[in-house]
Amino acid sequence: MLAENLGVRYLVRYHRNEVTLRETFVRMLPGRRTPAKWRGEFWSLTGVNLVAYPGEIVGIVGENGAGKTTLLKALAGICGADTGRVVVRGRVGCLMSFGVGFRPNLSGRENVYLNGTLLGLTKREIDQRIEEIGAFSELGDFFEAQVRTYSAGMKGRLGFSIAIHIQPDVLLLDEVLTVGDASFRAKAGTIVERFRTEDKTVIIASHNMPMLRQRCTRCVWLERGTVRMEGDPREVTEAYAEYARGDGAEE
């Protein structure tokens, strides 16, 4: 997996409270466009270079808003690159956050079919894995219940189960190895280790420094959309933790 000079930009529309009624009507006229001063752009990532090899577990750390989730979305192909390029070989499994992509009025089982199809599996492939996915998620009878009745942890367990059972070559996880109870977290950690021994690539964005030090082979610290530090997990997480304590950032 390669990200080269990666930049991702978001367009931002600003709101001014003192807009008059006349200005509002003028903007509604055909051919009238919002002046450029009402729009802006925000670069979530700028010039990011990252190489992740088979058999690596790469941790991504940084403050909220540093670009961690955007980086994973770009690697997964969910959002495009405005500058640079992303190269990924093989099937990608991703879990961006709890409940994303789930239909609340469908059951856990039905959501497996929906998400599995979106991730490129055929119905036959899902049929072969559905019971294993349900068992791994440890949802019990709730597997047949509507997802809107799930807690955040239950959604996370179901999403993680789907992501790993599509047999990905690259697994992208955004703060999900802390879901569930201790036994489920241990089981999830074992799966991540198994992926590493099978020469798959795992990238984890998290605020859980002890978990990253334990699981990762390398860490990357993002600050305001750029790479501030990369290297040994303990060195990177300790440097970030010291920075976070000094600046009042959330660890």
Side-chain angles (χ1 to χ4, degrees), residues 3-65:
E4 185 176 62
N5 194 32
L6 176 62
V8 176
R9 177 186 62 173
Y10 293 110
L11 296 180
V12 182
R13 183 185 296 272
Y14 295 99
H15 175 69
R16 196 182 78 183
N17 292 328
E18 64 270 21
V19 172
T20 65
L21 182 61
R22 179 178 179 278
E23 287 177 300
T24 300
F25 280 115
V26 168
R27 292 181 190 181
M28 295 173 62
L29 295 176
R32 292 282 183 169
R33 304 185 68 179
T34 304
K37 66 179 180 180
W38 298 112
R39 294 195 179 95
E41 60 181 32
F42 170 72
W43 285 87
S44 182
L45 298 174
T46 307
V48 171
N49 294 294
L50 174 67
V51 179
Y53 298 99
E56 276 200 301
I57 303 176
V58 180
I60 310 295
V61 302
E63 298 175 89
N64 291 329

Side-chain angles (χ1 to χ4, degrees), residues 57-215:
I57 303 176
V58 180
I60 310 295
V61 302
E63 298 175 89
N64 291 329
K68 301 186 300 296
T69 298
T70 299
L71 175 58
L72 295 187
K73 287 181 177 180
L75 296 177
I78 296 173
C79 66
D82 291 291
T83 64
R85 64 179 184 140
V86 172
V87 179
V88 180
R89 292 186 176 89
R91 175 178 284 171
V92 177
C94 61
L95 182 56
M96 293 295 103
S97 60
F98 305 146
V100 172
F102 289 150
R103 297 294 298 272
N105 292 325
L106 297 181
S107 69
R109 180 182 294 272
E110 291 167 333
N111 270 286
V112 171
Y113 278 95
L114 174 62
N115 279 262
T117 300
L118 293 175
L119 291 169
L121 297 181
T122 65
K123 182 179 182 301
R124 182 176 181 181
E125 288 175 318
I126 301 172
D127 288 339
Q128 294 171 344
R129 303 171 193 180
I130 186 72
E131 299 306 327
E132 188 176 355
I133 291 173
F136 187 92
S137 68
E138 299 180 357
L139 292 174
D141 293 339
F142 279 96
F143 192 52
E144 311 299 339
Q146 292 180 329
V147 166
R148 64 182 177 84
T149 65
Y150 287 15
S151 67
M154 294 167 70
K155 292 176 184 177
R157 298 206 310 263
L158 180 60
F160 183 76
S161 300
I162 296 171
I164 65 172
H165 282 93
I166 68 167
Q167 298 179 354
D169 300 292
V170 178
L171 181 63
L172 307 174
L173 303 173
D174 189 2
E175 197 68 73
V176 297
L177 291 187
T178 57
V179 304
D181 54 24
S183 64
F184 186 85
R185 292 196 300 271
K187 184 167 66 171
T190 299
I191 293 296
V192 169
E193 288 293 335
R194 191 194 77 193
F195 273 36
R196 182 181 65 81
T197 61
E198 293 175 352
D199 280 339
K200 299 179 185 293
T201 304
V202 182
I203 299 181
I204 307 170
S206 179
H207 291 290
N208 189 325
M209 301 298 111
M211 182 274 293
L212 293 176
R213 285 193 288 267
Q214 178 186 5
R215 300 291 181 191

